Amino acid sequence: MSKTPPVISGGLPVFGHALEMMRDREKLFKRGFQEAGDIYTIHLGPQKAAVVTGAEWNKIVYTQTDKSLNMNVAYAFLKESIGEVLFIASPETYVNQRPVLQEVFKRERMTTYVKAMNREVQSWLDSLEDQGEMDITAEMLRLTQYVAGAALIGEDFRTELGEAFWKNYGAISRSMDPILPPRLPLPKFLRRDKAKLEIKKVFHDLIAKRRHDPANYDDLISTLLTTPLKDGTFMDETTIVSMFTGLLFAGHETTAGQAAWLVTLLLQRPDYLRLVEQEIDRIVSLDTDIDEMVLRKLETIYWAIDETTRMRPSADLQIRTVTHPFQIGDFELPKGWRVILNAANSHFLPEVFSNPYQFDPLRWSPERAEGKNPFAIIGFGGGIHKCTGMNFAKNEMAIITARLFQQFELELLSRDIRIIQGAGANHPSTVLVRYKRK
Ligand code: HEM
């Protein structure tokens, strides 16, 4: 008879491991792995969840998604904040919307996105004093908002979206709560509903302008308006607003957290930073944009990006729900169980990554090629729902790194930098640096 994975110790009556998971999930996952190996069970209140580790099981989970597993049940808490789009929608709705998602991320558009990244990163650097102190975590959050706005809406995004947009977006983003019922009359949920209405009003006007004068626009909204869904119909206004909010959510806080860690980890490894600076001196001109040809040559920066994804992933866990009894290893997971992929163990397996707790970007060089199995790390997901914005995010982080270290000397002042876990993306605590224009 098939069996379910072993339950790890420490579960409390009623809550099971839920409190421990809320307090420090990395510690819980590591403890579970030491105790029970690469597939084990935790109890989250009445909900049972199998935690799996390693490329072999990660691959099964990714390839079974939308077959024996789904995403939308576990991520249902996002529905009230964002709407029925992307992986928050049912697998059928997702398949119907997929052609639009592919259109938004098709290769040719990257050139426009990269130009927007260049513009926004340079204008951020120009806005800094010649010397001073700043918190990289806060700066990256603002910068990635501007990059997302500029790339998705265009150069006029500040006037088009209006002053209040980011405040309203922040109210939506802060309302995301995987635990509380999303319709409780709590202040944060009321603020969310008000913000959603206001954003909808802004979009109503933006959409009307594009409907009235389609030839004048080639941005995300016009793409969402004019690209047919799989069934031949078009997205309605509510879905367009949800798609935009969903893309911003998927795209900017994740990138902000990872970009802040990237700068931090480089500053903590001055010897590797020197290699990066030499590469920048060799390849990046001050006077011309960093285009895709230049980006392709910045290999030490991209290795550092991959190493940051491994060591400090913004998306350190992913969750699925079992829709049909599901075999993994020697176990069978019954319908209704959750499956959790975790970076805490998968990204630090010593048989895959040598000296796994060391920030060592050269492990990604072709000579060493550690973790070449695409399912060894989960930082950008995998399978059909693998992050469609991965290249966008990596290019953005590369441009930030190249321009920042080209034009400024930085000294890391913060010492005890911690991982802050959010409802969506992880990010570092305050990263105070002293900077000086070169
Ligand atoms: C460092 C930055 C980023 C990280 C760490 C990240 C991570 C992820 C992960 C882990 C998933 C899969 C979730 C799962 O399987 O449960 C995902 C999906 C997705 N991401 Fe990203 N992401 C990043 C940046 C972006 C950007 C910049 C965009 C868009 C501009 C974006 C758009 C998306 C979309 C649309 C999906 C859903 C894909 C689908 O369901 O087919 N992401 N991302």
Side-chain angles (χ1 to χ4, degrees), residues 62 71 75 86-87 94 98 101 105 148 152 246-248 250-256 258-259 309 313-315 317-320 341 378-382 384-390 392-394 396-397:
Y62 285 130
M71 288 173 80
Y75 293 126
L86 303 169
F87 51 72
Y94 173 77
R98 206 168 149 77
L101 198 57
F105 289 99
L152 300 178
L247 284 175
L248 264 191
H252 104 89
E253 285 177 54
T254 41
T255 316
Q258 218 134 297
T309 308
S314 297
L317 89 172
Q318 286 132 44
I319 310 177
R320 304 290 187 259
L341 301 177
I378 64 160
F380 284 101
I384 179 167
H385 290 280
K386 182 165 182 162
C387 179
T388 13
M390 181 176 78
F392 184 112
K394 287 187 173 186
E396 179 178 356
M397 288 187 274

Side-chain angles (χ1 to χ4, degrees), residues 189-239:
F189 293 146
L190 298 175
R191 276 197 295 274
R192 170 199 68 202
D193 294 340
K194 190 162 165 276
K196 275 172 69 179
L197 277 178
E198 292 193 10
I199 286 187
K200 211 168 164 192
K201 263 192 257 155
V202 172
F203 269 79
H204 180 76
D205 294 344
L206 297 181
I207 290 170
K209 278 205 285 191
R210 282 149 182 83
R211 283 216 166 102
H212 182 249
D213 188 8
N216 213 4
Y217 294 94
D218 180 21
D219 61 10
L220 178 68
I221 302 175
S222 60
T223 307
L224 297 179
L225 267 175
T226 55
T227 310
L229 297 160
K230 189 156 185 269
D231 66 8
T233 63
F234 291 86
M235 280 184 180
D236 59 25
E237 232 174 88
T238 306
T239 315

Side-chain angles (χ1 to χ4, degrees), residues 33-295:
F33 183 73
Q34 272 162 12
E35 212 177 275
D38 52 5
I39 309 179
Y40 57 84
T41 299
I42 56 173
H43 291 165
L44 303 171
Q47 178 69 59
K48 294 184 169 65
V51 180
V52 309
T53 293
E56 187 182 355
W57 310 137
N58 294 343
K59 180 176 177 185
I60 292 180
V61 172
Y62 285 130
T63 48
Q64 280 300 314
T65 297
D66 292 352
K67 294 177 187 155
S68 304
L69 303 171
N70 77 15
M71 288 173 80
N72 54 312
V73 172
Y75 293 126
F77 70 95
L78 297 173
K79 204 179 287 179
E80 209 63 44
S81 305
I82 292 175
E84 303 228 11
V85 287
L86 303 169
F87 51 72
I88 311 163
S90 68
E92 299 73 42
T93 307
Y94 173 77
V95 169
N96 198 31
Q97 291 174 353
R98 206 168 149 77
V100 181
L101 198 57
Q102 282 164 334
E103 180 62 34
V104 172
F105 289 99
K106 74 175 182 208
R107 269 209 49 75
E108 302 85 292
R109 289 189 187 271
M110 187 53 79
T111 311
T112 317
Y113 297 155
V114 164
K115 281 197 182 121
M117 292 168 193
N118 273 278
R119 244 185 357 256
E120 288 304 319
V121 171
Q122 194 52 53
S123 87
W124 166 59
L125 294 174
D126 291 345
S127 76
L128 296 176
E129 305 288 332
D130 282 347
Q131 52 189 346
E133 289 179 6
M134 63 179 162
D135 170 15
I136 289 288
T137 306
E139 294 293 323
M140 288 303 121
L141 192 60
R142 215 182 34 223
L143 177 58
T144 52
Q145 283 180 347
Y146 290 165
V147 168
L152 300 178
I153 299 281
E155 265 184 80
D156 296 336
F157 79 98
R158 285 181 179 82
T159 38
E160 291 243 275
L161 290 176
E163 292 270 310
F165 178 84
W166 294 108
K167 210 168 130 258
N168 285 324
Y169 172 77
I172 294 176
S173 160
R174 279 190 299 277
S175 74
M176 293 168 189
D177 187 322
I179 292 165
L180 294 173
R183 296 212 177 145
L184 280 183
L186 294 177
K188 70 172 182 175
F189 293 146
L190 298 175
R191 276 197 295 274
R192 170 199 68 202
D193 294 340
K194 190 162 165 276
K196 275 172 69 179
L197 277 178
E198 292 193 10
I199 286 187
K200 211 168 164 192
K201 263 192 257 155
V202 172
F203 269 79
H204 180 76
D205 294 344
L206 297 181
I207 290 170
K209 278 205 285 191
R210 282 149 182 83
R211 283 216 166 102
H212 182 249
D213 188 8
N216 213 4
Y217 294 94
D218 180 21
D219 61 10
L220 178 68
I221 302 175
S222 60
T223 307
L224 297 179
L225 267 175
T226 55
T227 310
L229 297 160
K230 189 156 185 269
D231 66 8
T233 63
F234 291 86
M235 280 184 180
D236 59 25
E237 232 174 88
T238 306
T239 315
I240 290 179
V241 178
S242 295
M243 196 60 139
F244 186 83
T245 321
L247 284 175
L248 264 191
F249 174 69
H252 104 89
E253 285 177 54
T254 41
T255 316
Q258 218 134 297
W261 275 119
L262 173 63
V263 173
T264 308
L265 292 169
L266 284 172
L267 287 171
Q268 289 172 338
R269 271 293 304 268
D271 56 332
Y272 192 79
L273 181 56
R274 254 193 307 283
L275 290 183
V276 168
E277 286 175 330
Q278 284 161 5
E279 179 175 80
I280 296 169
D281 285 348
R282 257 195 338 272
I283 294 169
V284 182
S285 146
L286 249 182
D287 312 318
T288 47
D289 263 12
I290 303 180
D291 61 16
E292 288 159 284
M293 291 264 283
V294 176
L295 282 171

